[in-house]
Amino acid sequence: MVGTMALLQALIRTARMVTHTTRLATGLPPDEEVYLDLPDDRLAPALAAAGLGDHRPAAEVLAASREAAAWETRDRQVQRLAAFARNRPEWFDAWSYAAPHDPDVALIRAELAVRRGWESPARAELLHDVTPLIAAAARAEPADPVPWRIALDHARGTGAPHTEFEARWEQAVRRSSYHYGCHVAALQYLSAAWFGSHRESFAFAERAAEDALPGSLVRGLPVRAAFGALHRGPDAPGRGGPVLRERLDAAADTAIALSAEYPAGDPWPAEVRNVLFYVLIRLERWADALEQARLIGTRATSFPWDRISDDPLGQFLQARDGVRIEVAASLPLRGTRRREKAGDH
């Protein structure tokens, strides 16, 4: 009898999937229209020009964000340009030669050096050697918090003690109280994977989210803490012990509210939405996850999918398909179309 019931349930689930999965693709772009880490309209031309060896558009973009004190935008631009220079250095070498004392050159140079240090087996030793470059970037534009975000990443890579981390954190928030990149760097340092615990990272993230202004990406910080707990294992012993399901759901709910403040396909919250999508999947909140997939649109991001697979875009698309199947399997077989038609009137 038990075997018959299990077989019947499996057949019903399959029938629901067949009936509803195609319809649930509404609002989701086709796989071939989804891209990884799409740059925004300001950065895309600069990257294209850099690919042709011309550094001037990149210089103009970074100068504009510095002069406007658009520190969040500037941080994203620096990270993308440094990642590009990591594999295509010619344009940046030319810029460095033409303007060796440019504060934007100093900032990319520091970010690039830290990235190279992180990728080396001799990470701690190499990162110690780039300390002067970070200091030079901070001196070049004293109001800029981005060198201090780099300094926080550097602190994690070198295993700096909490006192040194806190001194760098103080410098960062003095320049920008709610700079998202600095908050993410601090959260990583305080995570159970590095020099903190689940308890520390959640407390830090929740306090920062509560204090942040509406629409601030810092309100998405708890869902990053949730990702860290779920990816590492929320029930793993040590480093703060297990994370309660209620806390994980609360982090997801806060991020859902943040996501709702931005239009679908907006590049600004794309990474927060991708992290939220992963967390909702792990929490088996399928309908909420499908809604975030629609809001993500064509904008998949490397993080968090590159922590799970060597093919982050493929992993995102696979997750998206899996969510559609789970939602379809939960819908009733009969009466669905009738209720949908009734809802149209």
Side-chain angles (χ1 to χ4, degrees):
M1 185 65 174
V2 174
T4 302
M5 287 301 298
L7 177 59
L8 180 58
Q9 289 173 352
L11 289 172
I12 292 172
R13 177 181 170 85
T14 301
R16 287 172 172 171
M17 289 161 48
V18 170
T19 302
H20 300 300
T21 300
T22 300
R23 177 175 61 81
L24 290 172
T26 301
L28 296 174
D31 288 2
E32 62 271 15
E33 294 181 11
V34 180
Y35 293 91
L36 197 66
D37 300 326
L38 272 174
D40 63 29
D41 293 340
R42 289 166 292 189
L43 191 57
L47 289 169
L52 298 173
D54 184 0
H55 67 270
R56 289 171 298 178
E60 292 169 4
V61 162
L62 278 182
S65 63
R66 171 167 45 84
E67 291 163 7
W71 306 128
E72 299 280 13
T73 298
R74 180 172 173 80
D75 196 5
R76 293 187 180 202
Q77 292 168 346
V78 165
Q79 292 187 61
R80 290 299 301 272
L81 289 167
F84 193 77
R86 182 75 179 91
N87 298 312
R88 300 283 297 277
E90 300 85 2
W91 64 278
F92 183 64
D93 291 343
W95 186 9
S96 300
Y97 180 79
H101 304 297
D102 188 322
D104 303 324
V105 167
L107 190 56
I108 293 181
R109 187 183 291 128
E111 173 73 15
L112 188 55
V114 169
R115 284 174 178 262
R116 286 172 173 156
W118 269 98
E119 294 167 5
S120 170
R123 181 178 68 206
E125 181 180 349
L126 287 180
L127 286 177
H128 278 298
D129 292 342
V130 306
T131 301
L133 296 180
I134 300 173
R139 287 194 304 270
E141 179 48 77
D144 188 356
V146 180
W148 295 100
R149 190 270 302 158
I150 298 172
L152 290 168
D153 287 338
H154 179 265
R156 181 163 54 94
T158 56
H162 272 64
T163 52
E164 186 174 336
F165 159 78
E166 289 166 3
R168 297 184 189 192
W169 172 245
E170 182 182 347
Q171 293 293 331
V173 296
R174 183 182 299 175
R175 287 158 176 81
S176 181
S177 299
Y178 298 106
H179 185 271
Y180 179 65
C182 290
H183 277 76
V184 169
L187 182 68
Q188 290 176 308
Y189 180 94
L190 294 171
S191 70
W194 290 95
F195 305 107
S197 66
H198 292 324
R199 184 182 297 111
E200 281 183 277
S201 62
F202 266 94
F204 172 80
E206 289 164 350
R207 184 170 57 250
E210 185 176 341
D211 292 342
L213 294 172
S216 169
L217 294 185
V218 172
R219 288 185 174 266
L221 213 60
V223 88
R224 285 194 71 122
F227 168 81
L230 290 166
H231 187 52
R232 183 178 175 86
D235 299 320
R239 292 299 183 104
V243 180
L244 295 177
R245 169 66 190 242
E246 290 82 357
R247 203 168 196 177
L248 297 170
D249 278 319
D253 291 339
T254 301
I256 287 171
L258 172 64
S259 177
E261 297 187 45
Y262 292 91
D266 192 317
W268 195 250
E271 185 177 271
V272 172
R273 281 173 170 164
N274 275 257
V275 175
L276 173 58
F277 182 48
Y278 171 90
V279 168
L280 290 168
I281 290 170
R282 291 292 305 272
L283 297 178
E284 298 185 2
R285 292 174 56 172
W286 306 117
D288 288 337
L290 184 60
E291 175 60 19
Q292 291 307 311
R294 292 190 174 113
L295 290 172
I296 289 167
T298 61
R299 295 187 175 275
T301 56
S302 292
F303 184 83
W305 311 108
D306 61 359
R307 302 301 192 272
I308 304 160
S309 170
D310 292 334
D311 177 15
L313 179 56
Q315 183 65 50
F316 169 79
L317 295 173
Q318 182 179 337
R320 200 176 66 159
D321 289 342
V323 166
R324 283 172 55 210
I325 290 169
E326 291 294 342
V327 173
S330 70
L331 294 175
L333 272 174
R334 295 181 180 274
T336 304
R337 291 176 181 169
R338 189 181 305 116
R339 281 194 298 274
E340 286 175 350
K341 289 180 180 178
D344 290 339
H345 295 293

